Amino acid sequence: MGLAAEPTARTFGLEELLRLVMEGKIRIPHFQRGIRWGPKEAAELLDSVLRGFPIGSLLLWKRKAPAETVHIGDIVISVPQQQEAYYVVDGQQRITTLANSLSKEYGKAGRFAMELDIKTLQVRPRRPGSSATIELPTLFHLRDFLSWNQANPQWAEQIENLNDAASRLREFHIPAYVVESDDESTLKEIFDRMNSAGKRLSRAEVFSALFAPPEPQSAAGASIGKIQEHVLGELRWGLVDDDTLLRVMLARRAPDVTREIRLEFSEARKQDTDFPSEDRDEAYAGAELALNSAISFLIEIGVPHFSLLPYRYLLIVLARFFALFRQPSTYSLEMLCRWFWRAAIVGPNVSKASTTGAVRRYASAIVRGDEEGSIRRLIDSVDKVDWHPQVKNFRANQAESRIMLCALWDMRPRNLLTPEPISREELSDVIEQGSTASSVCLEAVRRTNISVDFRNSIGNRLVLTDPTDDIVATLSTTVLDKATLDSHAISETALEALRSDDFNEFVRQRTATISKVIATFVTRQTGTRFEDTPPLATLIFDDVDEETIAPGDYRDDIF
């Protein structure tokens, strides 16, 4: 069935768009995908606006909207019922980025914070301690911009260019089609076709669209997008891709994550799951609860951010375990830690290099009502390994290198500009939605200043969140205490080599030191030196007939 009336074509200025967002008149339908753009894409969008480039049209669904708490990126507002609101069918990433980046309240910190380089007039993600820049919300809001001009006379020569940039922002308009229809299924079909015409919808997006409740009822309901936002914004653990989150939900309910998703909540399928009585909303809530426990566990055992997780499928398996065993024993947690790090080292080779096969194998080992047996099966599925990482071939996007980074994080690295250890929140703020930790794993020495043998070495990497452009200069000129140097595996002799411009020797010594750090970390976390024995409470001893033992008669087979 088609639309009763053709869509209306109109344009929205950025000021009007921001006002509508803050009034709660822009809503995100719950069949929409989560936020997928990172700082790079956001900066490119704002740069296109400033250069007057077209950024595509929007498709908005005009209808009545209930009172609810609206989440659009970092913007969270409680709004009353609206007789007319616009649900975003196409353009969510653009609207979310523009509204957050230009907002006075939300656009000066966090993942959407953007700034304009006054010299190059290019937009870039906000950097702590930046100079020669102006925040985009300040540029966008006229009164704030005028006040900034008065307070920064040193940029008088650039004022004409800045005025032009400010005008372009305020005068930019986005074309939009506005559809009025009460038939939600038609809107879902339009959404499906628009996204399938270019890039095919992911399995998670299909799942979200299939099982989204009617829009007025969905505001309080859970979704993959909401779980994604929760992990990113509240847990500060990074942007977990939606397909991994879908597999978390599926694995929690049954081990085979490749099953047909269209039947997931059918009566026939329910009986084949570990939670046969739950409905869609309960499944989402259970998945989020299990994910919270899995992430808390990972943080505790040394994985501070999603970008440092060696393999995504390990998160899926952990979520299943914590879904079935809400309060595992201390012994189970210790063995689970050993299993995780052994599995991280072995990788998907445990199942002929197939990550899907590895998920199925591990998830099948976890059986409801059998915590001890589940732990034993997981431990038995991975052998202890004698691991020798390629410390001279560091790549932030490789599993082996991520394990090395976790070992460096375990040293509690400190800021170079302050004596304080880097917090997990600081780490998360810098990485933001990045898929790798390259933004916090910085090269100490410029690659051109060291030999080819050491250019990719872990010894040339420091885990840092400091806004310092020249690490060599900072290390050479700043008085650093021993605790700070130790936290970065920098010995006095290595520091002396650096200050003498013997960069190869500096990297060589750090590589040797870090190799020992990694070995110690892995040995401890995998429990290599210990037997994987079951807890004493589970061992069954035959009762001894005390009458058959004379005083002083010691039984070697008993004691």
Side-chain angles (χ1 to χ4, degrees), residues 173-455:
H173 281 69
I174 307 175
Y177 288 102
V178 180
V179 176
E180 294 189 50
S181 173
D182 292 327
D183 185 2
E184 185 170 331
S185 63
T186 301
L187 266 295
K188 288 185 180 181
E189 183 177 356
I190 293 173
F191 171 76
D192 189 356
R193 291 190 181 189
M194 290 185 67
N195 286 279
S196 299
K199 181 180 178 182
R200 188 173 179 177
L201 290 175
S202 72
R203 193 162 175 252
E205 290 161 353
V206 172
F207 183 89
S208 296
L210 284 173
F211 298 111
E215 195 57 43
Q217 302 173 19
S218 62
S223 67
I224 288 176
K226 284 187 176 180
I227 295 174
Q228 192 175 54
E229 286 292 303
H230 169 69
V231 174
L232 179 65
E234 295 180 41
L235 300 186
R236 308 281 289 277
W237 201 67
L239 184 66
V240 181
D241 61 284
D242 48 6
D243 280 326
T244 295
L245 293 177
L246 171 62
R247 289 187 169 212
V248 163
M249 171 175 277
L250 295 175
R252 170 185 169 272
R253 289 164 55 79
D256 183 9
V257 295
T258 63
R259 61 186 181 268
E260 171 55 61
I261 57 175
R262 290 171 176 81
L263 305 175
E264 188 60 25
F265 297 106
S266 65
E267 289 304 318
R269 170 64 56 77
K270 284 182 178 181
Q271 303 311 310
D272 294 330
T273 72
D274 288 298
F275 301 91
S277 63
E278 72 180 7
D279 59 21
R280 185 203 73 99
D281 285 340
E282 290 169 333
Y284 273 121
E288 182 171 335
L289 192 63
L291 190 66
N292 285 349
S293 297
I295 290 173
S296 296
F297 174 75
L298 284 169
I299 292 171
E300 184 68 25
I301 67 171
V303 185
H305 192 273
F306 181 59
S307 63
L308 273 73
L309 180 69
Y311 293 102
R312 298 177 184 185
Y313 66 83
L314 297 176
L315 173 64
I316 297 167
V317 178
L318 286 174
R320 174 168 171 79
F321 181 86
F322 283 103
L324 298 184
F325 308 107
R326 295 281 300 279
Q327 295 182 317
S329 68
T330 301
Y331 168 79
S332 293
L333 293 175
E334 181 182 345
M335 292 299 107
L336 197 61
C337 174
R338 294 184 189 181
W339 166 80
F340 173 84
W341 287 109
R342 292 177 192 177
I345 291 170
V346 172
N349 292 327
V350 72
S351 186
K352 298 181 180 179
S354 165
T355 57
T356 300
V359 171
R360 187 182 294 112
R361 176 176 178 175
Y362 290 139
S364 296
I366 304 170
V367 178
R368 188 183 186 96
D370 185 13
E371 180 181 326
E372 183 193 338
S374 298
I375 284 293
R376 296 307 313 168
R377 286 186 288 272
L378 284 175
I379 285 290
D380 292 343
S381 67
V382 186
D383 295 329
K384 295 180 181 180
V385 292
D386 186 16
W387 187 53
H388 300 284
Q390 301 299 310
V391 292
K392 289 188 177 181
N393 190 30
F394 177 86
R395 296 286 187 277
N397 62 345
Q398 294 180 349
E400 183 177 74
S401 296
R402 293 181 178 191
I403 297 173
M404 294 188 225
L405 282 181
C406 288
L408 292 186
W409 176 252
D410 188 63
M411 297 180 72
R412 299 295 180 263
R414 298 181 175 224
N415 289 294
L416 297 182
L417 304 183
T418 68
E420 297 300 320
I422 298 169
S423 69
R424 196 180 67 80
E425 290 71 23
E426 288 178 277
L427 194 80
S428 179
D429 286 343
V430 176
I431 298 174
E432 294 183 321
Q433 300 184 47
S435 59
T436 75
S438 56
S439 57
V440 297
C441 183
L442 308 180
E443 291 184 343
V445 181
R446 291 187 176 88
R447 296 166 63 85
T448 54
N449 292 337
I450 51 180
S451 66
V452 175
D453 289 344
F454 290 116
R455 286 181 181 174

Side-chain angles (χ1 to χ4, degrees), residues 91-140:
Q92 177 196 4
Q93 313 293 330
R94 285 166 287 166
I95 288 178
T96 299
T97 297
L98 292 168
N100 281 265
S101 295
L102 299 178
S103 165
K104 287 185 182 183
E105 182 178 356
Y106 298 94
K108 295 188 177 182
R111 53 185 168 145
F112 293 102
M114 297 288 143
E115 61 189 11
L116 182 72
D117 187 306
I118 296 174
K119 296 179 181 178
T120 65
L121 298 178
Q122 289 186 329
V123 177
R124 69 187 189 195
R126 180 90 177 131
R127 301 172 185 171
S130 295
S131 59
T133 62
I134 179 172
E135 297 170 329
L136 240 55
T138 300
L139 188 69
F140 179 67

